[in-house]
Amino acid sequence: MPTILGQNQYGKAENRVVKITRDGDTHHIKDLNVSVALSGDMDDVHYSGSNANVLPTDTTKNTVYAFAKEHGIESAEQFGIHLARHFVSSQEPIHRARIRIEEYTWERIATSDGNSKFIGADEVRHSFARKGMETRVSQITYDGENWEVISGLKDLTVMNSTNSEFWGYVKDKYTTLKEAYDRILATDVSARWRYNWTSDEQRMPNWEKSYEQARKHMLQAFAETYSLSLQQTLYQMGSRIINSRSEIDEIRFSLPNNHHFLVDLEPFGLKNDNEVYFAADRPYGLIEATVLRDGVEPQIPVDMTNL
């Protein structure tokens, strides 16, 4: 045979599942986009077309919805763990399951106070608005013995309007950028962090609290760092999370530098005292790095495009 089969996987991608939990008149929403990828003893289906070891992708889709009912959705990570364990333990040909989840968050709409003229305004607990900030992401991988949980977020836009500089850099004959001693620092944070929970014998993290705290420490570090470079800020964000959350060993960032350039207002007889900027969406600087707990080997892929 002139060719052989390499790495392969299959599953159902982007299963949108919305779970509403009704606590009396108060409702809670979990809105997920779940992708399932299974791999294992799948040579025959590729070589001969035999489906004897193939669990239909339609079945994986149905499992996502059934598990939302049977197990509920406490967190994206916990839901992914239920799914990964099920596929590996219930299907002998399946040796590895990877579950990727995006979570879209909703916030409750604040209603009028009890003295409002609108009838029942103080009783509404079922109206929500989709948050327009980041998307929470997670990837859960299980091989029957070991777990790998990578969580994070993307599209979290942040800005410091001051306390940022950029100067002292290398200059050559193509350099036109002027040194900045007071600039806007803005980026769209894409971050993935890896938990050191890998076995059922270990105590499982509180996934919801861990995400909230990691996000909090990340934002606080961004806000509190007097930045001489976006690289410095990135390192401080990662270090704050590693030092504050013992369950996280590694975090990788991809941070575009969303440039803001001072507009030349002199042709109009006006002085621009760090007030008016042109926000350029491209090209942009792209700063990427991993921050690790000392002694830990990196495992998060350098290229997070498909993570």
Side-chain angles (χ1 to χ4, degrees):
M1 182 179 294
T3 62
I4 61 172
L5 179 66
Q7 193 280 338
N8 62 89
Q9 61 193 34
Y10 80 105
K12 206 73 162 182
E14 301 199 22
N15 301 279
R16 286 297 309 276
V17 54
V18 176
K19 175 66 166 65
I20 298 177
T21 301
R22 293 174 170 81
D23 181 14
D25 292 333
T26 301
H27 297 178
H28 308 273
I29 292 179
K30 281 290 187 179
D31 185 352
L32 307 183
N33 190 21
V34 182
S35 293
V36 178
L38 308 176
S39 57
D41 185 7
M42 294 293 152
D43 288 1
D44 285 348
V45 68
H46 290 87
Y47 289 137
S48 68
S50 171
N51 292 313
N53 287 344
V54 175
L55 182 72
T57 62
D58 189 68
T59 303
T60 66
K61 175 201 69 176
N62 294 340
T63 304
V64 169
Y65 293 109
F67 270 41
K69 170 63 178 179
E70 294 176 6
H71 297 281
I73 302 177
E74 176 184 327
S75 67
E77 291 84 358
Q78 186 64 63
F79 190 62
I81 287 169
H82 284 310
L83 288 169
R85 190 193 305 277
H86 166 78
F87 289 123
V88 173
S89 62
S90 67
Q91 302 295 321
E92 185 175 348
I94 301 301
H95 302 160
R96 184 174 183 269
R98 186 197 70 200
I99 313 297
R100 286 178 173 169
I101 301 176
E102 296 179 334
E103 179 175 349
Y104 311 111
T105 54
W106 296 78
E107 58 186 354
R108 200 176 306 280
I109 296 175
T111 54
S112 306
D113 60 35
N115 296 323
S116 169
K117 64 180 180 180
F118 297 105
I119 298 174
D122 58 336
E123 299 176 354
V124 176
R125 299 291 186 272
H126 56 258
S127 297
F128 301 84
R130 171 81 175 269
K131 286 187 177 180
M133 297 180 66
E134 80 274 8
T135 298
R136 178 175 170 178
V137 296
S138 57
Q139 174 176 291
I140 299 91
T141 305
Y142 181 55
D143 64 6
E145 295 182 2
N146 298 310
W147 295 94
E148 181 187 73
V149 179
I150 298 175
S151 297
L153 54 82
K154 62 181 181 179
D155 301 329
L156 174 59
T157 302
V158 293
M159 174 189 290
N160 283 332
S161 58
T162 189
N163 287 355
S164 176
E165 305 178 15
F166 188 60
W167 52 271
Y169 43 81
V170 174
K171 302 178 182 68
D172 65 13
K173 65 180 181 179
Y174 302 112
T175 302
T176 60
L177 184 70
K178 295 181 179 180
E179 292 187 334
Y181 296 88
D182 186 6
R183 67 169 184 169
I184 286 177
L185 182 67
T187 186
D188 303 315
V189 180
S190 178
R192 305 291 188 276
W193 52 84
R194 180 173 56 84
Y195 290 95
N196 50 38
W197 180 80
T198 59
S199 169
D200 288 323
E201 302 301 318
Q202 297 173 263
R203 181 179 179 180
M204 189 179 296
N206 182 323
W207 306 113
E208 294 290 274
K209 180 179 179 181
S210 182
Y211 176 85
E212 292 171 1
Q213 291 296 307
R215 182 183 183 278
K216 181 192 75 172
H217 290 302
M218 179 192 307
L219 290 176
Q220 288 178 343
F222 178 84
E224 295 168 6
T225 299
Y226 191 105
S227 178
L228 299 177
S229 67
L230 183 51
Q231 287 92 331
Q232 176 196 17
T233 299
L234 178 155
Y235 184 75
Q236 291 300 317
M237 292 163 69
S239 295
R240 185 80 66 94
I241 292 174
I242 296 293
N243 291 331
S244 302
R245 303 306 305 175
S246 61
E247 72 274 20
I248 296 173
D249 275 356
E250 174 186 8
I251 180 168
R252 183 163 180 82
F253 291 97
S254 180
L255 304 181
N257 194 339
N258 297 338
H259 301 300
H260 289 69
F261 301 107
L262 278 171
V263 178
D264 181 9
L265 300 179
E266 289 187 3
F268 318 122
L270 301 172
K271 181 180 178 181
N272 192 354
D273 188 17
N274 291 340
E275 296 171 282
V276 181
Y277 295 83
F278 165 64
D281 64 342
R282 62 195 67 183
Y284 51 84
L286 183 60
I287 311 302
E288 298 179 304
T290 300
V291 182
L292 300 155
R293 192 176 302 281
D294 190 22
V296 170
E297 292 294 324
Q299 297 181 31
I300 298 176
V302 170
D303 184 357
M304 299 192 300
T305 304
N306 295 314
L307 183 62

